[in-house]
């Protein structure tokens, strides 16, 4: 938590409630694409969802303001669309250090479908982008995706445990070359998706232009104290 978060108890309560909402929405998304309920039931569900949206929809933060629950200087982004526990778009991937890289497991439902019964290729690119970025972070580097390419060697089945890996291959100056793979957890040696990416730490003037107006939940901005803290919020 950052020092300006105030009392820890309400924040813990907010984290619990927000995580609960994320989990409930994740279930809702999956059920919404897999349900065989009739039209009346689906329409009634839509009304319920709109009522829920109205209940919390009036209080909104601007895009330049980080959520109260985030602490990017410690890598906590609860609404990240791949790893964020509170973002229903995220499986979420739980990325952990493993050897000289990072690893995560995922079992994807029908909300991620591309070809019938298989994962959408764009989803694989999204997950690889995040995994490559996490590998950079785990190696003490950071950068924005400058180039990302994938080879799809075999389709990824839905509802089947997958294993995702990434590692930094080389780095020099502001550039890091990072690779990643996706395979079935039951056959980890048979690579189905291969990714290669170039991550570049933006030059200082670009960092300032991109992130200079970002504030924490109390409206305060603090300049980065280390390369990974483009939106660092700890007081200098
Ligand atoms: C245990 C786990 C812990 C984990 C703990 C941390 C977790 C943390 C996870 C976060 C994971 C987020 C993962 C998602 C990451 C995004 O989604 S980032 C969003 C998508 N990317 C973007 O929007 C970037 C858009 N592009 C840009 O803004 C600019 O092109 C860049 C990338 C900032 C580079 O601009 P710049 O700083 O002016 O760099 P520039 O001087 O042009 O180029 C520098 C060098 O890179 C080369 N380069 C630049 N672009 C390219 C290119 N496209 N192709 C080839 N070479 C290039 C240049 O040729 C140059 O090479 P050298 O001449 O130095 O050899």
């Amino acid at each position: 938590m950052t020092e300006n978060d105030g009392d820890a108890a309400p924040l813990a309560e907010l984290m619990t409630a927000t995580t609960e909402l994320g989990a409930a929405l994740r279930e809702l998304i999956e059920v919404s694409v897999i349900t065989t309920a009739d039209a009346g039931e689906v329409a009634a569900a839509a009304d319920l969802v709109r009522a829920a949206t109205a209940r919390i929809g009036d209080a909104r933060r601007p895009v330049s303001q980080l959520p109260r629950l985030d602490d990017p200087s410690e890598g906590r982004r609860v609404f990240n669309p791949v790893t964020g526990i509170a973002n229903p778009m995220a499986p979420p991937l739980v990325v952990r250090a493993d050897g000289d890289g990072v690893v995560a497991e995922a079992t994807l439902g029908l909300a991620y479908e591309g070809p019938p019964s298989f994962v959408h290729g764009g989803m694989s690119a999204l997950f690889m982008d995040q995994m490559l970025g996490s590998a950079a972070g785990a190696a003490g580097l950071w950068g924005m995706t400058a180039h990302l390419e994938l080879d799809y060697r075999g389709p990824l089945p839905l509802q089947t445990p997958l294993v995702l890996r990434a590692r930094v291959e080389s780095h020099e100056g502001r550039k890091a070359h990072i690779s990643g793979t996706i395979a079935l957890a039951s056959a980890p040696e048979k690579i189905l998706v291969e990714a290669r990416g170039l991550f570049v730490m933006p030059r200082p003037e670009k960092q300032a232009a991109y992130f200079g107006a970002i504030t924490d939940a109390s409206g305060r901005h603090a300049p980065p104290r280390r390369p990974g803290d483009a939106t660092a919020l700890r007081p200098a």
Side-chain angles (χ1 to χ4, degrees):
M1 302 281 162
T2 53
E3 290 178 26
N4 55 339
D5 280 337
D7 191 2
L11 258 196
E13 212 174 299
L14 182 63
M15 180 66 94
T16 302
T18 306
T19 303
E20 185 66 19
L21 177 62
L25 287 171
R26 204 172 282 121
E27 285 169 27
L28 177 67
I29 289 173
E30 184 63 11
V31 164
S32 73
V33 301
I34 208 168
T35 184
T36 57
D38 64 27
E41 287 302 303
V42 173
D47 286 342
L48 285 173
V49 172
R50 289 209 177 85
T53 302
R55 184 139 185 185
I56 58 171
D58 283 344
R60 301 184 186 211
R61 65 186 161 90
V63 69
S64 59
Q65 184 177 303
L66 296 174
R68 285 178 66 203
L69 295 171
D70 273 11
D71 186 349
S73 70
E74 296 189 354
R76 190 175 63 246
R77 305 294 317 273
V78 300
F79 298 113
N80 177 289
V82 182
T83 58
I85 193 162
N87 187 332
M89 285 168 60
L93 293 190
V94 179
V95 185
R96 58 184 197 281
D98 184 60
D100 60 352
V102 291
V103 66
E105 286 88 24
T107 301
L108 302 170
L110 269 80
Y112 298 98
E113 186 174 58
S117 83
F118 294 110
V119 176
H120 194 294
M123 290 295 168
S124 300
L126 171 66
F127 299 147
M128 283 284 90
D129 192 18
Q130 180 71 33
M131 290 297 291
L132 270 51
S134 292
L141 306 167
W142 87 279
M144 295 176 77
T145 320
H147 181 82
L148 181 66
E149 61 183 40
L150 285 87
D151 288 307
Y152 297 88
R153 305 210 177 279
L156 301 176
L158 297 169
Q159 299 181 335
T160 306
L162 304 172
V163 58
L164 302 90
R165 293 187 173 278
R167 47 173 271 184
V168 175
E169 298 292 342
S170 66
H171 64 94
E172 188 189 5
R174 293 186 287 124
K175 298 197 295 188
H177 291 273
I178 310 174
S179 65
T181 58
I182 310 178
L184 301 187
S186 61
E189 303 308 321
K190 187 171 187 297
I191 303 304
L192 299 175
V193 174
E194 270 177 45
R196 291 165 297 281
L198 171 67
F199 280 61
V200 176
M201 185 195 296
R203 60 182 72 208
E205 59 270 32
K206 281 192 181 168
Q207 288 188 37
Y210 294 168
F211 307 119
I214 302 290
T215 71
D216 69 6
S218 68
R220 183 173 58 175
H221 176 73
R225 298 201 316 166
R226 58 177 192 186
D229 298 348
T231 52
L233 298 168
R234 298 189 152 206

